[in-house]
Amino acid sequence: MGDTKEKLSCVTVALHWVVALTIIVMITIGVYMTDYEVHELYPIHKSIGMLIFVVIVLRVLWRVKQGWPEAASQYKSWEHTLSKVVHWALIIATVVLPISGMLMSSLGGYGLSIFGWELLAATPNPEEAGKMIPINGPLAGTAHETHEIAGKVIFVAILLHLAGALKHHFMDKDGTLKRMLGRRINN
Ligand code: HEM
Ligand code: HEM
């Protein structure tokens, strides 16, 4: 059930890949819909974000219970520190992104729904079509900024994380990546 040096549990592997792939898709949708003003994508982005938040919370609880997996092989102390910093940045950003997203939308008056299932109603402005009456405009603005910054932080962290995974696999030739793909290793 738990993680060992030789094999990561299927819970760790499944949670890692479900969250990792969804986050990569979410960043792509988020940047695309804002850059090209594709308003039809907003409800899809928000719905997926709220659903994956449930999995993210389970993943954090699983990490708290299990601790971090032991390194698959020996490596330099600066590499160890960098990988820890990046893992923390990834975990924290995956929590901050959906929370700031939900705060930005709800406090901005846009409401919250998951694929049409309304959790919080929007507050449209009767005098200005298409505009909302914010519940708390300044806080919604702060949440918006937080969402943008966290999006940039997670993007850089993913690039570093990917570079590390590829270095382990192709240069160190250790089992770090294979282990995250569910395989048993014996370094
Ligand atoms: C779960 C992970 C999530 C990720 C990785 C993510 C990522 C992003 C990114 C990268 C952007 C583009 C930021 C920019 O450059 O302006 C964005 C925009 C946005 N996100 Fe998310 N997001 C997530 C969840 C959510 C949730 C749960 C909501 C709301 C319920 C949400 C609401 C929005 C909105 C409204 C925008 C557009 C903001 C604008 O028009 O400037 N996001 N998101
Ligand atoms: C781009 C593709 C990705 C690859 C190839 C990859 C690969 C890996 C590998 C090989 C490990 C094991 C490291 C070790 O044993 O010390 C790992 C751990 C981890 N990865 Fe990724 N990863 C990817 C994307 C992501 C993304 C997008 C996130 C964040 C949302 C993420 C978050 C984490 C975290 C937090 C860990 C620490 C162990 C855990 O909590 O399960 N990864 N990843």
Side-chain angles (χ1 to χ4, degrees):
M1 181 75 178
D3 297 326
T4 66
K5 194 166 180 244
E6 289 74 34
K7 190 161 182 356
L8 296 178
S9 65
C10 47
V11 179
T12 291
V13 174
L15 287 174
H16 175 269
W17 291 111
V18 169
V19 173
L21 299 179
T22 311
I23 291 288
I24 292 170
V25 170
M26 284 292 286
I27 297 172
T28 314
I29 302 179
V31 172
Y32 182 82
M33 71 183 197
T34 42
D35 279 5
Y36 295 98
E37 295 184 23
V38 188
H39 294 290
E40 302 77 44
L41 283 175
Y42 276 58
I44 299 174
H45 178 86
K46 296 192 212 174
S47 303
I48 302 176
M50 284 189 274
L51 289 176
I52 198 63
F53 182 51
V54 178
V55 185
I56 289 170
V57 170
L58 291 177
R59 177 156 196 252
V60 171
L61 293 176
W62 177 251
R63 261 298 133 263
V64 170
K65 184 170 166 280
Q66 289 279 311
W68 295 99
E70 200 184 327
S73 69
Q74 289 287 329
Y75 46 102
K76 296 187 198 81
S77 77
W78 71 264
E79 289 177 323
H80 190 72
T81 310
L82 181 61
S83 87
K84 276 278 138 301
V85 170
V86 172
H87 286 167
W88 273 106
L90 290 168
I91 288 272
I92 293 172
T94 52
V95 175
V96 169
L97 275 157
I99 293 180
S100 56
M102 287 184 277
L103 287 174
M104 149 184 23
S105 294
S106 53
L107 298 175
Y110 291 90
L112 291 175
S113 13
I114 301 179
F115 294 113
W117 171 38
E118 191 176 82
L119 305 176
L120 182 75
T123 48
N125 187 338
E127 278 153 31
E128 247 185 306
K131 296 269 180 220
M132 304 293 156
I133 301 174
I135 295 172
N136 186 326
L139 262 188
T142 308
H144 192 164
E145 269 172 46
T146 309
H147 200 71
E148 266 187 44
I149 295 169
K152 293 197 171 90
V153 168
I154 203 166
F155 182 73
V156 174
I158 293 172
L159 290 184
L160 288 170
H161 184 63
L162 184 61
L166 296 177
K167 173 190 175 285
H168 275 287
H169 193 69
F170 292 109
M171 291 167 73
D172 305 336
K173 297 189 176 15
D174 64 21
T176 302
L177 180 58
K178 284 188 198 149
R179 198 174 67 159
M180 195 39 107
L181 291 166
R183 308 248 299 269
R184 179 175 292 279
I185 57 160
N186 32 31
N187 282 323

